[in-house]
Amino acid sequence: MFYIFNSRGHFAEKMTVRPPVLPHGYFHIESADDIGEYLFSDGLTVMSASEPAPSQYHVIDAGMWVLPADGAAAQLADAKAEKISNLNAAAQAFINAAAEIDKVPDFEVQTWSIQAAEARAWAVDKTAPTPVLDQIAASRGIDADKLKAAALRKTLAYEKLTAHVAGQRQALQSKIEAAKTQAELEKIVIEFTAPEAV
């Protein structure tokens, strides 16, 4: 029987034939005996426990699952990476909802930076060329200056919103990175607020 172990030494599966190819870091050990279900291997020997591993970071020592120092560090590092990924997704979701990006098609959102640049130029010089805003106004059948004024208000509001949320996100990321334990990490609540209206 061939026992397959993952890159951390945890049992993944067993096969009756020698595995032809294994994923990177995986290895196998051959044994004529049925050596159990809750297994760990250092690459040379196979150790077993009476219960499943509490986490992928634990190793078997004298038949018991223990969390070594390097395992605890890896566990915390991976938990931090996952929390930062969740933080980034939550920040983006908050911006999407607050700016109602989910109500606008992607191609139109991609014009926002152009509209913003044109609206800013128009605010400084009313004769500045604004071809995109002019075309949108013409296609909508509305006054171009009213559209430009609205685009400027939306630009300023969006910039304030994104700067506010970016600051909150960065502060939370700093807290996540500074956490020394899993318990500290779990206490960090991911939430965002919109800036106060002026």
Side-chain angles (χ1 to χ4, degrees), residues 111-136:
T111 71
W112 284 6
S113 60
I114 299 168
Q115 292 183 51
E118 288 186 3
R120 283 187 172 284
W122 172 81
V124 173
D125 177 3
K126 299 296 190 252
T127 65
T130 54
V132 172
L133 290 173
D134 289 339
Q135 182 60 60
I136 291 172

Side-chain angles (χ1 to χ4, degrees), residues 54-123:
S55 78
Q56 63 176 329
Y57 307 94
H58 283 70
V59 300
I60 294 178
D61 184 16
M64 302 293 294
W65 290 107
V66 297
L67 185 61
D70 63 341
Q75 183 178 36
L76 183 60
D78 287 352
K80 285 181 179 184
E82 181 179 359
K83 190 135 192 170
I84 288 172
S85 177
N86 293 339
L87 168 67
N88 293 341
Q92 187 64 60
F94 186 86
I95 291 293
N96 289 352
E100 298 185 335
I101 292 173
D102 52 346
K103 295 181 180 178
V104 180
D106 288 343
F107 80 88
E108 190 171 334
V109 171
Q110 290 169 14
T111 71
W112 284 6
S113 60
I114 299 168
Q115 292 183 51
E118 288 186 3
R120 283 187 172 284
W122 172 81

Side-chain angles (χ1 to χ4, degrees), residues 5 8-11 37-42 45-54 57-68:
F5 295 86
R8 292 190 180 275
H10 287 258
F11 173 66
E37 184 178 357
Y38 308 123
L39 307 173
F40 175 80
S41 175
D42 57 9
T45 60
V46 176
M47 296 154 269
S48 65
S50 59
E51 56 189 30
Y57 307 94
H58 283 70
V59 300
I60 294 178
D61 184 16
M64 302 293 294
W65 290 107
V66 297
L67 185 61

Side-chain angles (χ1 to χ4, degrees), residues 4 7 12-13 31 56-57 64 76 79-80 104 127 138 145 152-153 157 165 179 181 195:
I4 315 298
S7 59
E13 66 176 298
S31 175
Q56 63 176 329
Y57 307 94
M64 302 293 294
L76 183 60
K80 285 181 179 184
V104 180
T127 65
D145 283 351
L152 182 61
R153 284 192 305 275
V165 172
T181 66

